[in-house]
């Protein structure tokens, strides 16, 4: 008998109100786990290997998915023998994307889906226009049988859609339960490391994390990808939050269309497509998603509060950050916001946590409050401090290049970062500033 944490998957011999490993409350529950026999290695047998002898045998071969956005997020393609977790909320497009990734690979592929029938998957593949030559579909949901099938078919790439539907006979709890997910994850990990098969595990995650599971697989797998997006929009963002073999925080941007997930090569154009000129309360900000610059529009609407407590409504940026920025505007710039409702929206359903967005947020709010328009060819970047000072941001060069490429004429940026630029950009005028006050003098 053990107690398993549904949040991190750690196990303990005794029950605790708080998980000693991840400090979540009320996540431990009791499970029966069957001891595997013959687990203990023979004392006489050596299991250590000389590190140098492994150098020749390491799999460094990457399999290209032929989808640039995916390959970049993975750090150059699927690494042979790696275990990849693809998480996301139900209906966001995980199955579609996984199918597109494996269909382009010239290797025997096994797509295991207990969620959908083979016909449904075939229909989807036809709708997207995928070639399915080297692909096998299986509706099996017992992990031991799946592993047999992998070795019989000699597949080198496997998709498990989804981890919540597979189960092991060794454990008597329902598929999707914490102990099943952990056991199946471990068996797949073993298969990866022993036979060099590459496995993509799909896992459903809900926004509030109510479906137990995928989170605790995170520490077991090599790469964790999350497919994100607002289901009211068709933009989808693939993020790597963990990658043992590449950079994290890289993103790939897609649109969910009738014929599958379409990579978006120029996201800035997508996010600025519906921008209306000549309206107050709009500011453009060159964001960085991973190594990639994307221009985003921040919109603010400020109106007289009709009821007692003024509303603060925010989409896409942190609520507390907004509260701080509004306080700076009140105290340092003398803007009266205490009696007004403030709505701030990052257009396109994206979320940013980069403080470099601050300057665009305060400018959009000020523009909305004063009802003065910010020139549509001006972009703003900078972190705002409590004294109303504008602080340096990372990778200004990249942001400048992107703004320049989209025809922006002026970029307002922290003086501290402008000083560090190696060259003066030609097609865009970069205004170095030290305080929000200076910014407003330029803008309004
Ligand atoms: P799906 O890949 O099944 O999501 P998940 O596996 O994450 O649950 O995709 C679900 C949604 O995507 C569904 O509402 C239909 C839509 N869709 C498209 O818009 N275009 C397509 O080509 C496909 C296959 C699906
Ligand atoms: Mg699915």
């Amino acid at each position: 008998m053990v107690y398993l944490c549904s949040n991190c998957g750690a196990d303990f011999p005794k029950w605790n109100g708080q998980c000693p490993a991840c400090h979540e409350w009320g996540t431990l529950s009791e499970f029966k786990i069957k001891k595997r026999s013959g687990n203990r290695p023979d004392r006489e047998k050596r299991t250590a290997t000389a590190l140098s002898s492994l150098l020749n045998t390491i799999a460094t071969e990457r399999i290209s998915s032929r989808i640039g956005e995916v390959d970049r997020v993975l750090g150059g393609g699927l690494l042979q023998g790696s275990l990849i977790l693809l998480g996301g909320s139900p209906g966001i497009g995980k199955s579609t994307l996984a199918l597109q990734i494996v269909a382009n690979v010239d290797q025997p592929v096994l797509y295991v889906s207990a969620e959908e029938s083979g016909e449904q998957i075939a229909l989807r593949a036809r709708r997207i226009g995928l070639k399915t030559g080297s692909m096998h579909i299986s509706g099996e949901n017992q992990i031991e049988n799946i592993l047999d099938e992998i070795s019989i078919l000699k597949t080198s790439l496997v998709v498990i859609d989804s981890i919540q539907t597979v189960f092991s006979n060794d454990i008597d709890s329902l598929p999707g339960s914490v102990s099943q997910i952990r056991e199946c994850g471990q068996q797949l990990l073993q298969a990866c490391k022993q036979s060099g098969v590459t496995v993509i595990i799909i896992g459903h995650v809900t926004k509030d994390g109510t479906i137990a599971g995928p989170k605790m697989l995170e520490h077991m797998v090599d790469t964790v990808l999350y497919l994100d997006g607002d289901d009211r929009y068709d933009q989808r963002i693939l993020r790597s939050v963990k990658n043992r073999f590449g950079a994290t925080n890289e993103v790939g941007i897609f649109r969910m269309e009738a014929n599958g997930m379409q990579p978006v090569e120029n996201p800035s154009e997508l996010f600025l497509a519906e921008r209306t000129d000549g309206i107050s309360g709009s500011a453009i900000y060159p964001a960085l998603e991973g190594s990639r610059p994307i221009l985003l529009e921040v919109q603010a609407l400020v109106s007289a509060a009709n009821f007692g407590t003024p509303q603060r409504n925010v989409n896409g940026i942190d609520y507390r950050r907004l509260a701080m920025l509004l306080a700076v505007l009140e105290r340092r710039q003398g803007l009266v916001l205490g009696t007004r409702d403030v709505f701030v929206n990052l257009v396109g359903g994206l979320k940013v946590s980069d403080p470099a967005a601050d300057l665009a947020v305060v400018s959009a709010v000020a523009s909305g409050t004063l009802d003065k328009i910010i020139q549509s060819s001006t972009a703003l970047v900078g972190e705002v401090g409590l004294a109303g000072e504008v602080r340096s941001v990372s990778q200004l060069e990249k942001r400048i290049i992107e703004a320049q490429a989209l025809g922006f004429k002026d970029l307002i940026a922290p003086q501290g970062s402008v000083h560090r630029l190696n060259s003066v950009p030609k097609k865009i005028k970069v205004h170095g500033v030290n305080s929000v006050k200076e910014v407003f003098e330029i803008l309004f």
Side-chain angles (χ1 to χ4, degrees), residues 31-98:
F31 284 99
K32 268 198 217 95
I33 286 198
K34 213 168 92 181
K35 279 249 163 58
R36 231 168 290 167
S37 54
N39 232 356
R40 190 141 180 81
D42 199 338
R43 290 236 166 193
E44 298 299 306
K45 221 170 98 194
R46 269 179 53 201
T47 48
T49 331
L51 191 59
S52 55
S53 74
L54 292 174
L55 283 174
N56 304 323
T57 58
I58 309 174
T60 45
E61 203 188 322
R62 289 192 185 261
I63 316 165
S64 169
S65 65
R66 310 252 169 93
I67 306 173
E69 295 291 295
V70 173
D71 283 354
R72 196 187 50 250
V73 174
L74 286 168
L78 301 150
L79 192 77
Q80 202 119 52
S82 64
L83 186 59
I84 298 160
L85 174 65
L86 173 60
S89 48
I92 201 79
K94 299 181 296 298
S95 305
T96 310
L97 184 64

Side-chain angles (χ1 to χ4, degrees), residues 89-96 124 127-128 204 256-260:
S89 48
I92 201 79
K94 299 181 296 298
S95 305
T96 310
R124 174 181 291 160
R127 196 164 116 196
I128 307 174
H204 295 294
M256 187 57 144
E257 289 180 359
N259 55 347

